[in-house]
Amino acid sequence: MGGLSIGRVALVNDPAAIRRVLMDNTQNYHKDWLQRRVLSAGLSNGLLTADGHQWRMQRRALAPLFARRTVISFTAAMIDVAAAMVERLKSRDGQIEDMAVEVTRVTLEVLEKTMFADGLGRSAEEIRVAMKHYFEAIGRLDPFDVLGLSSVVPRLSRWKVRPMLRLFETAIDTIVSTRRRRIAEDPAGVPRDILTLLLEARDPETGEGLIEVEVRANILTFIAAGHETTANSITWSLFLLSQSPEWCSRVQAEADRELDGDIGGLADRLVETRAVIEESNRLYPPIAAISRAALGPDELAGEPIRRGTMVVIAPYVLHRHHSLWADPDRFDPRRFLGDAREAIDRFAYLPFGVGPRICIGASLALQEASIVVAAVLRHFALELAPGHVVSPIHRATLRPSGGLPMIVRRR
Ligand code: HEM
């Protein structure tokens, strides 16, 4: 199980070797060029693709944006967005709906509300359309499809991403400058959303703030890194629940009991729902593969690694490995409850990565997914559309090929 090395690609499944790549010897493993190139349109200078000093400074400065207290302050926005989806679905009682589409709308709306609490301004619809096209084009790229191609950027421009990106960037610049003006005029009156926090962010070590291109790149980064991943996590959870009457009832009971209580502690009370989401992230990790380029030679799980090797850590493979998990293909959220959760090897379960570059939005994503899944289950019984076969496809993220058509019936 140590690893498989084909030419210059090494797939690593050994937890100790994973620890070495992502935590103990990170100076030898950089986010690889492929990943950077795929993501680079508009995202360079953002936290996901930055490196070295720029990354360290940003990571320290941006930590408070995703801290527990901040994420809890987003609960009300998440509940509102979920409630609006429930209302839409109620009006289509008994019909077949593509839940993947519904849920993607939800995650974008949550980002919109948590990032720009006072809205997108006059050009809201135009921005949404530009964003949709931009992410659709990016979503068509699979890093593994383009192995060996000299450049992805021309393909991006062929798909008319660039004009969309420009429109999107201009709109964001307007929103940012409007907000800067408001902060200057009335600091106490501006919403405490991600945008304000981003503009106020300072590296605690140097006092340095983000420059304009970094602000814009991070707005794009949060949307790019946060919306489709979280949507897939929710979509897969709904699929798995539709196959498990036991867990449907458990989540329904928890939703009935907890959703109307105090919203401050809501995320902490959705214990079983969260276990379902964590189990779903195990079976269908939205980021199915994490990759790094080796800057120099190394040894991983007894195998020599040459300079330039692309090291791939694939949560999809790791999370279903027979030597690491009992009955790995079985959906069993009990793995993530109580002591069982504590017993999971930190380097065998990586839906959000591990080490210094671990996902900064993990608790936001888990909280959002728990709230949305609980809200859906509270009101609806889920049934996969008759005859539809669900199978995963890897296109930047791991999603169900052909979406998730479901008959959604009011409980
Ligand atoms: C279920 C949902 C999510 C999953 C599965 C996920 C997964 C990941 C993974 C695996 C990484 C590490 C990649 C690597 O090491 O190469 C990562 C990094 C990152 N994620 Fe997430 N993510 C999710 C949601 C979010 C959200 C909601 C946001 C922000 C709003 C976000 C923002 C980021 C950023 C900025 C990074 C780069 C961090 C750094 O390099 O310092 N993610 N994510």
Side-chain angles (χ1 to χ4, degrees), residues 25 50 56 75 84 119 123 240 285 297-298 389 395 400:
N25 193 23
R56 266 190 304 280
T75 306
S123 42
L240 289 163
D298 197 11
V389 178
R395 283 283 170 274

PDB file of all heavy atoms in Angstrom, residues 25 50 56 75 84 119 123 240 285 297-298 389 395 400:
ATOM      1  N   ASN A  25       7.618  17.836   5.729  1.00  0.00           N
ATOM      2  CA  ASN A  25       8.652  18.220   4.756  1.00  0.00           C
ATOM      3  C   ASN A  25       8.039  19.096   3.659  1.00  0.00           C
ATOM      4  O   ASN A  25       8.358  18.976   2.485  1.00  0.00           O
ATOM      5  CB  ASN A  25       9.276  16.941   4.161  1.00  0.00           C
ATOM      6  CG  ASN A  25      10.561  17.223   3.388  1.00  0.00           C
ATOM      7  OD1 ASN A  25      11.221  18.247   3.619  1.00  0.00           O
ATOM      8  ND2 ASN A  25      10.909  16.352   2.455  1.00  0.00           N
ATOM      9  N   ALA A  50      -1.256  31.136  -3.877  1.00  0.00           N
ATOM     10  CA  ALA A  50      -0.064  31.890  -3.450  1.00  0.00           C
ATOM     11  C   ALA A  50       0.956  30.945  -2.822  1.00  0.00           C
ATOM     12  O   ALA A  50       0.637  29.828  -2.439  1.00  0.00           O
ATOM     13  CB  ALA A  50      -0.456  32.969  -2.453  1.00  0.00           C
ATOM     14  N   ARG A  56       2.148  32.954   3.365  1.00  0.00           N
ATOM     15  CA  ARG A  56       2.222  32.991   4.839  1.00  0.00           C
ATOM     16  C   ARG A  56       1.543  34.234   5.398  1.00  0.00           C
ATOM     17  O   ARG A  56       0.780  34.183   6.355  1.00  0.00           O
ATOM     18  CB  ARG A  56       3.682  32.947   5.308  1.00  0.00           C
ATOM     19  CG  ARG A  56       4.159  31.529   5.609  1.00  0.00           C
ATOM     20  CD  ARG A  56       5.517  31.519   6.294  1.00  0.00           C
ATOM     21  NE  ARG A  56       6.515  32.221   5.515  1.00  0.00           N
ATOM     22  CZ  ARG A  56       7.153  31.694   4.474  1.00  0.00           C
ATOM     23  NH1 ARG A  56       6.909  30.447   4.114  1.00  0.00           N
ATOM     24  NH2 ARG A  56       8.034  32.392   3.793  1.00  0.00           N
ATOM     25  N   THR A  75     -24.525  31.821  10.796  1.00  0.00           N
ATOM     26  CA  THR A  75     -25.599  30.829  10.911  1.00  0.00           C
ATOM     27  C   THR A  75     -26.930  31.358  10.370  1.00  0.00           C
ATOM     28  O   THR A  75     -27.620  30.678   9.606  1.00  0.00           O
ATOM     29  CB  THR A  75     -25.778  30.405  12.396  1.00  0.00           C
ATOM     30  OG1 THR A  75     -24.520  29.975  12.892  1.00  0.00           O
ATOM     31  CG2 THR A  75     -26.784  29.278  12.532  1.00  0.00           C
ATOM     32  N   ALA A  84     -35.246  29.489   2.026  1.00  0.00           N
ATOM     33  CA  ALA A  84     -35.727  29.890   0.697  1.00  0.00           C
ATOM     34  C   ALA A  84     -35.739  28.681  -0.243  1.00  0.00           C
ATOM     35  O   ALA A  84     -36.665  28.518  -1.053  1.00  0.00           O
ATOM     36  CB  ALA A  84     -34.839  31.006   0.144  1.00  0.00           C
ATOM     37  N   GLY A 119     -25.484  43.068  -0.343  1.00  0.00           N
ATOM     38  CA  GLY A 119     -25.873  42.753  -1.723  1.00  0.00           C
ATOM     39  C   GLY A 119     -24.797  43.065  -2.744  1.00  0.00           C
ATOM     40  O   GLY A 119     -23.744  43.625  -2.428  1.00  0.00           O
ATOM     41  N   SER A 123     -25.610  45.780 -10.365  1.00  0.00           N
ATOM     42  CA  SER A 123     -25.351  44.806 -11.429  1.00  0.00           C
ATOM     43  C   SER A 123     -25.437  43.355 -10.936  1.00  0.00           C
ATOM     44  O   SER A 123     -24.792  42.473 -11.500  1.00  0.00           O
ATOM     45  CB  SER A 123     -24.007  45.089 -12.063  1.00  0.00           C
ATOM     46  OG  SER A 123     -23.074  45.402 -11.057  1.00  0.00           O
ATOM     47  N   LEU A 240     -26.694   9.809  -0.370  1.00  0.00           N
ATOM     48  CA  LEU A 240     -26.474   8.704   0.569  1.00  0.00           C
ATOM     49  C   LEU A 240     -27.669   8.553   1.518  1.00  0.00           C
ATOM     50  O   LEU A 240     -28.088   7.446   1.829  1.00  0.00           O
ATOM     51  CB  LEU A 240     -25.170   8.933   1.346  1.00  0.00           C
ATOM     52  CG  LEU A 240     -23.908   8.752   0.491  1.00  0.00           C
ATOM     53  CD1 LEU A 240     -22.683   9.371   1.164  1.00  0.00           C
ATOM     54  CD2 LEU A 240     -23.657   7.264   0.200  1.00  0.00           C
ATOM     55  N   PRO A 285     -15.252  12.347  -1.465  1.00  0.00           N
ATOM     56  CA  PRO A 285     -14.580  13.610  -1.131  1.00  0.00           C
ATOM     57  C   PRO A 285     -14.646  14.585  -2.304  1.00  0.00           C
ATOM     58  O   PRO A 285     -14.193  14.257  -3.408  1.00  0.00           O
ATOM     59  CB  PRO A 285     -13.131  13.171  -0.869  1.00  0.00           C
ATOM     60  CG  PRO A 285     -12.982  11.846  -1.542  1.00  0.00           C
ATOM     61  CD  PRO A 285     -14.328  11.204  -1.534  1.00  0.00           C
ATOM     62  N   PRO A 297      14.858  15.540  -4.472  1.00  0.00           N
ATOM     63  CA  PRO A 297      14.643  14.116  -4.224  1.00  0.00           C
ATOM     64  C   PRO A 297      14.206  13.856  -2.780  1.00  0.00           C
ATOM     65  O   PRO A 297      14.528  14.634  -1.877  1.00  0.00           O
ATOM     66  CB  PRO A 297      16.019  13.498  -4.499  1.00  0.00           C
ATOM     67  CG  PRO A 297      16.997  14.617  -4.376  1.00  0.00           C
ATOM     68  CD  PRO A 297      16.263  15.888  -4.718  1.00  0.00           C
ATOM     69  N   ASP A 298      13.496  12.764  -2.587  1.00  0.00           N
ATOM     70  CA  ASP A 298      13.015  12.404  -1.254  1.00  0.00           C
ATOM     71  C   ASP A 298      12.726  10.909  -1.263  1.00  0.00           C
ATOM     72  O   ASP A 298      12.889  10.239  -2.294  1.00  0.00           O
ATOM     73  CB  ASP A 298      11.735  13.212  -0.924  1.00  0.00           C
ATOM     74  CG  ASP A 298      11.405  13.215   0.567  1.00  0.00           C
ATOM     75  OD1 ASP A 298      12.255  12.781   1.376  1.00  0.00           O
ATOM     76  OD2 ASP A 298      10.290  13.633   0.920  1.00  0.00           O
ATOM     77  N   VAL A 389     -29.192   6.157 -12.406  1.00  0.00           N
ATOM     78  CA  VAL A 389     -28.038   5.529 -11.771  1.00  0.00           C
ATOM     79  C   VAL A 389     -27.015   6.620 -11.441  1.00  0.00           C
ATOM     80  O   VAL A 389     -26.633   7.400 -12.317  1.00  0.00           O
ATOM     81  CB  VAL A 389     -27.394   4.473 -12.705  1.00  0.00           C
ATOM     82  CG1 VAL A 389     -26.155   3.869 -12.051  1.00  0.00           C
ATOM     83  CG2 VAL A 389     -28.413   3.396 -13.041  1.00  0.00           C
ATOM     84  N   ARG A 395     -14.492  16.228 -12.254  1.00  0.00           N
ATOM     85  CA  ARG A 395     -14.304  17.421 -13.089  1.00  0.00           C
ATOM     86  C   ARG A 395     -13.955  18.577 -12.162  1.00  0.00           C
ATOM     87  O   ARG A 395     -14.843  19.266 -11.684  1.00  0.00           O
ATOM     88  CB  ARG A 395     -15.602  17.767 -13.843  1.00  0.00           C
ATOM     89  CG  ARG A 395     -15.902  16.904 -15.027  1.00  0.00           C
ATOM     90  CD  ARG A 395     -15.040  17.289 -16.237  1.00  0.00           C
ATOM     91  NE  ARG A 395     -15.154  16.312 -17.302  1.00  0.00           N
ATOM     92  CZ  ARG A 395     -14.423  15.205 -17.384  1.00  0.00           C
ATOM     93  NH1 ARG A 395     -13.542  14.926 -16.460  1.00  0.00           N
ATOM     94  NH2 ARG A 395     -14.578  14.362 -18.381  1.00  0.00           N
ATOM     95  N   PRO A 400     -21.757  13.961  -8.945  1.00  0.00           N
ATOM     96  CA  PRO A 400     -22.497  12.887  -9.609  1.00  0.00           C
ATOM     97  C   PRO A 400     -22.693  13.235 -11.080  1.00  0.00           C
ATOM     98  O   PRO A 400     -23.165  14.334 -11.398  1.00  0.00           O
ATOM     99  CB  PRO A 400     -23.824  12.835  -8.855  1.00  0.00           C
ATOM    100  CG  PRO A 400     -23.923  14.096  -8.085  1.00  0.00           C
ATOM    101  CD  PRO A 400     -22.579  14.762  -8.042  1.00  0.00           C
TER     102      PRO A 400
END
